[in-house]
Amino acid sequence: MHYFKKVYQLLFVVLVLSCSKEDETTTTTDDFEVSIESLTILENEIEINWEISKPINSIINNISIYRNDTFTASTLVVDQFISNTPSNATSYIDFDVPYTTSVSYTVQVRFSFESDGQTESLEVTSNRGVLDRDLVTFNNVPFQVERDRLEQNIYHIYDRNSTSKLVRYNTSAGKVSEIFNLGSGLSRFNKFQFRFNNLLVVTNTEGEVKILNTGDYGLISEFEVPDNEIIKTFAFVGEKFYYKGRDSFYYSYNLNTGENFRAPVGAGDILLSYDNQESVFYIISRFDAAQAGLMRLVDNCPSEVECNVEFVNQTGDINLQGFGIDGSNIDPNLFVINEELEIFISGRSGSVFSLNSFEQLSNFELLTNDKYFNFSIGSDNKIYAAVQAKKEIHVFDSQDYTLLERIPTITYPIHILLSEGNGNQKIDVVGTYRPLQYFSYGFGSNTGGNFDFQELAVIEHVVN
């Protein structure tokens, strides 16, 4: 009996070992899978969700998230590590999403498992999850951005690319609603101007003038000044088109009669329509000296003999050395006047001047030690300033000009687009992906002297 018991025990051990051998499976890389299931965007955040399949005898050691952001279809950025997550995670929220037209993610998981009595490790990378974004981009930094005079959520953008165009942008919809092609960008360097609030006026170097409706960019009228005269700068004074020609003399063109004559006196590198009546705002800007002021065409220049210009007010004598006002204070490329015609802000230093006395009221650079691109004045009694070479907007009080707030941006802001939304001040910026510096009007083309930056730009909605 004792003999048979031992035989049974031996048979049982052999049977167990045999069954164990038959149940043993070999773990292969095909048993592991990582799959991105969805990408969800909310404002400037993207949530990545994934699933992991693995054998029971394996464990997850590490999960890493990688991001690839594409500026254009031809420019690829290598995958960059952005974060590790807990080993049991199945989602991750990216709070620092680049403002690019396409963003993609991969999830990399490191496993360990037992194989043939030894511990093995394996890295598996997921499929690529791609999110294409419908962003408004420009191949070059727009030359000019102006708020519509009638619709507060509409901006007009002068895209001075190889083929110049005007772009009508709706901040509420985040969309371009109209485009008007102007032609060769090389022949166009004047800023567009408003006339009677509902019209836009654009010119070129061949003496052509187009007047457009601000609502749908319909062409209202067009004319040419005599002799295909170069129009360096212009302003409307009543029914007179007052401009500076190729010889740097000033001319007065009558819109009704077509009469054109040379005005005996004038001033300014840049002229701006001021009140559509007799006054013209002018700017003289040099690296080491600058001046801004108002001049009035007496009796609206009835004839060449009787065309007299009277200087109403100005920031000071431009020839006065040491006056303290130069191209960093007054610059036609960095310039804004408030709706009430009380102040104007200009220059990379962020200089604020009174339009009554033309005295300098403040200088933002002295307060912050930063230099600026463009400015925008909000309905909330605040001044918004785009900081040069920083991802930042500065907000100043429009009464005492103290610094109130620093708002971070994702891109480097150049132009600021303010609008109203649910009772709050909404902020968009035209920004670039790389930092830019600008010195002053006319100070060398390679430094943006004529505000010519060949950098990709995008309209960013700023979350504040």
Side-chain angles (χ1 to χ4, degrees), residues 107-270:
V107 179
Q108 189 179 89
V109 181
R110 185 178 293 112
F111 301 94
S112 61
F113 57 94
E114 293 293 328
S115 178
D116 296 329
Q118 299 205 7
T119 301
E120 302 283 348
S121 63
L122 176 69
E123 278 189 352
V124 178
T125 301
S126 72
N127 59 309
R128 184 172 296 278
V130 180
L131 185 67
D132 292 323
R133 307 167 76 185
D134 186 19
L135 303 179
V136 179
T137 60
F138 304 91
N139 289 331
N140 293 341
V141 175
F143 178 52
Q144 182 183 6
V145 177
E146 299 284 349
R147 195 174 198 170
D148 191 79
R149 297 295 191 262
L150 301 176
E151 298 182 63
Q152 292 295 291
N153 291 349
I154 297 296
Y155 278 81
H156 305 281
I157 302 173
Y158 185 1
D159 181 11
R160 193 178 58 178
N161 200 358
S162 56
T163 302
S164 294
K165 58 180 177 288
L166 278 176
V167 175
R168 190 177 192 270
Y169 178 74
N170 188 319
T171 58
S172 298
K175 302 286 185 181
V176 172
S177 60
E178 301 290 343
I179 293 177
F180 186 88
N181 291 311
L182 296 169
S184 172
L186 296 177
S187 68
R188 301 179 182 276
F189 57 90
N190 274 326
K191 290 191 171 186
F192 64 79
Q193 294 196 39
F194 289 95
R195 177 165 167 78
F196 302 136
N197 292 330
N198 64 334
L199 300 176
L200 282 179
V201 184
V202 291
T203 68
N204 68 8
T205 58
E206 298 171 352
E208 298 173 343
V209 182
K210 297 181 186 296
I211 301 178
L212 312 176
N213 187 300
T214 58
D216 58 6
Y217 286 172
L219 182 63
I220 303 300
S221 63
E222 57 184 330
F223 61 90
E224 294 183 16
V225 295
D227 304 320
N228 297 114
E229 180 65 78
I230 288 177
I231 301 174
K232 291 184 175 181
T233 184
F234 71 93
F236 277 96
V237 186
E239 293 303 311
K240 300 292 178 63
F241 181 75
Y242 186 71
Y243 67 96
K244 185 177 182 180
R246 76 177 76 238
D247 53 10
S248 293
F249 285 108
Y250 295 84
Y251 294 84
S252 176
Y253 177 83
N254 191 307
L255 299 179
N256 295 325
T257 65
E259 182 184 17
N260 189 74
F261 58 82
R262 199 178 88 180
V265 182
D269 299 316
I270 299 295

Side-chain angles (χ1 to χ4, degrees), residues 33-37 50-51 105-107 125-130:
E33 185 180 2
V34 183
S35 175
I36 291 181
E37 298 298 311
W50 63 86
E51 289 186 358
Y105 295 88
T106 56
V107 179
T125 301
S126 72
N127 59 309
R128 184 172 296 278
V130 180

